[in-house]
């Protein structure tokens, strides 16, 4: 894998990371440095992005290197801290054997291309899932499910029928591995493009995807037959009005922020 370390002003780090969303296999921030991982085939595109952000931000250093998955995993094992959401949800790695007293404990096997619960967008959606008590609903659609954290939390909370989709075929193995870690066997998982999905008739739809894809799915969500809620993240907070401007039959019931990232709970008018 390619590793790219960018050193910049702390307040700009998360904004810089958003430029690489469509290519990164994972990232974490340490002391003003964002460390990102990519496929070798994407290096040309990444270099163009680096040139662009160098004109926009105060970049102090750019360091390219290579890393194998074994060394990446050792780094995660050394630095992985459990993710606590509102003192109700705890995301822990599969090597953690401790007993925890929180209501919902979810285990995952960290993998380079998939979420670990540490990113602000995942945390924002989980917070809204708790706040809106989504366990009261019968069904949920998880768009861009990745490692499956949001799907597993919905099952833990009591949602009966969960459908999870992702466009990336390599997601499948990690999703099912994490499902087994959590003793969950009844999620309807499939690999497909979210834009080819026409059935949005679910009580709850969660989507942790980039801004451009969020904008594209809003029209389909507004055409569903359910009085449902849409919980979205993956956009920068400063871009929230670009999302809101797409609403015709819906409105933002809540808009939230964590770092530079935004999230919304969308309801029908």
């Amino acid at each position: 894998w390619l590793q790219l370390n960018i050193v910049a002003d702390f307040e700009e780090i998360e904004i810089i990371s958003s430029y690489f969303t469509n290519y990164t296999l994972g990232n974490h921030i340490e002391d003003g440095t964002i460390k990102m991982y990519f496929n070798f085939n994407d290096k040309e595109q990444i270099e163009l992005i680096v040139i662009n952000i160098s004109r926009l931000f105060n970049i102090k250093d750019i360091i390219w290197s290579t890393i194998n998955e074994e060394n990446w995993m050792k780094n995660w094992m050394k630095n992985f801290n459990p993710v606590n959401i509102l003192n109700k949800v705890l995301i822990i790695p599969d090597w953690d054997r401790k007993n925890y007293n929180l209501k919902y404990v979810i285990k995952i096997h960290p993998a380079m291309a998939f979420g670990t619960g540490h990113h602000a967008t995942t945390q924002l959606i989980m917070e809204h899932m708790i706040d809106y008590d989504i366990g009261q609903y019968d069904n949920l659609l998880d768009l861009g499910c990745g490692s499956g954290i949001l799907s597993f939390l919905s099952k833990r909370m009591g949602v009966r029928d969960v459908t999870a989709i992702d466009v990336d075929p390599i997601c499948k193995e990690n999703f099912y591995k994490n499902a087994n870690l959590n003793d969950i066997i009844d999620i309807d998982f499939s690999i497909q493009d979210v834009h080819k999905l026409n059935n949005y008739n679910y009580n709850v739809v969660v989507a942790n995807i980039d801004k451009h894809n969020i904008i594209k799915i809003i029209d389909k969500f507004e055409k569903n037959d359910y009085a449902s809620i849409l919980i979205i993240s993956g956009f920068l907070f400063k871009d929230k009005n670009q999302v809101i401007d797409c609403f015709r039959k819906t409105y933002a019931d809540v808009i939230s922020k964590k770092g530079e990232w935004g999230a919304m709970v969308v309801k029908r008018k």
Side-chain angles (χ1 to χ4, degrees):
W1 309 95
L2 281 173
Q3 178 175 331
L4 173 61
N5 293 358
I6 295 179
V7 183
D9 293 336
F10 183 79
E11 61 271 16
E12 294 182 338
I13 285 290
E14 289 193 355
I15 299 176
I16 290 170
S17 73
S18 70
Y19 283 78
F20 298 90
T21 298
N22 291 334
Y23 296 99
T24 182
L25 301 174
N27 68 67
H28 60 278
I29 297 170
E30 295 179 6
D31 302 325
T33 299
I34 181 166
K35 299 181 178 182
M36 297 175 286
Y37 307 95
F38 305 96
N39 282 315
F40 279 94
N41 292 340
D42 293 327
K43 187 174 184 182
E44 185 175 340
Q45 289 298 321
I46 303 306
E47 287 175 334
L48 292 175
I49 296 172
V50 169
I51 292 170
N52 184 36
I53 65 169
S54 296
R55 298 179 181 134
L56 300 173
F57 302 100
N58 180 26
I59 305 296
K60 300 175 182 178
D61 200 3
I62 297 170
I63 304 168
W64 287 97
S65 59
T66 58
I67 186 172
N68 61 43
E69 191 153 1
E70 180 182 358
N71 289 339
W72 180 87
M73 183 61 73
K74 288 179 180 177
N75 188 49
W76 263 116
M77 293 182 73
K78 182 174 67 176
N79 295 296
F80 194 112
N81 293 315
V83 179
N84 187 315
I85 305 296
L86 302 178
N87 287 321
K88 292 186 177 180
V89 182
L90 195 70
I91 312 296
I92 62 173
D94 53 355
W95 60 79
D96 191 335
R97 298 292 184 262
K98 297 177 184 175
N99 291 319
Y100 295 96
N101 204 25
L102 275 73
K103 190 171 185 179
Y104 308 113
V105 177
I106 298 172
K107 280 192 173 186
I108 64 157
H109 175 73
M112 288 187 74
F114 307 106
T116 58
H118 287 82
H119 200 276
T121 57
T122 310
Q123 295 178 19
L124 284 165
I125 290 183
M126 288 192 286
E127 289 173 5
H128 291 315
M129 291 170 71
I130 297 294
D131 289 340
Y132 280 75
D133 188 21
I134 59 102
Q136 67 183 297
Y137 297 104
D138 291 332
N139 52 61
L140 177 144
L141 172 64
D142 182 1
L143 296 174
C145 61
S147 61
I149 290 174
L150 301 180
S151 292
F152 306 145
L153 176 58
S154 66
K155 292 297 293 185
R156 285 277 191 268
M157 293 181 69
V159 179
R160 185 187 63 203
D161 299 320
V162 176
T163 300
I165 70 172
D166 201 287
V167 71
D168 191 343
I170 65 173
C171 168
K172 183 175 181 179
E173 181 179 354
N174 186 252
F175 183 94
Y176 280 119
K177 185 166 190 171
N178 290 330
N180 288 334
L181 286 171
N182 292 281
D183 298 319
I184 294 173
I185 60 172
D186 56 349
I187 292 177
D188 181 10
F189 170 84
S190 63
I191 298 294
Q192 61 175 301
D193 187 336
V194 297
H195 303 304
K196 293 182 179 179
L197 180 74
N198 293 313
N199 178 20
Y200 279 67
N201 291 327
Y202 292 82
N203 300 131
V204 182
V205 179
V206 297
N208 186 11
I209 54 182
D210 67 90
K211 177 188 67 179
H212 301 292
N213 283 308
I214 287 172
I215 289 171
K216 289 178 181 178
I217 69 168
I218 287 173
D219 181 62
K220 288 185 177 182
F221 174 76
E222 290 187 336
K223 291 177 180 176
N224 75 26
D225 297 325
Y226 279 45
S228 52
I229 61 174
L230 169 67
I231 306 175
I232 54 177
S233 192
F235 58 92
L236 291 171
F237 187 78
K238 68 180 181 66
D239 295 334
K240 64 184 183 300
N241 288 334
Q242 295 180 38
V243 178
I244 293 172
D245 288 345
C246 298
F247 297 164
R248 298 293 179 268
K249 300 177 182 179
T250 53
Y251 67 96
D253 192 46
V254 167
I255 302 174
S256 59
K257 181 177 185 286
K258 188 182 290 288
E260 300 296 331
W261 298 95
M264 295 182 195
V265 179
V266 181
K267 289 187 173 182
R268 296 170 69 93
K269 294 179 180 177

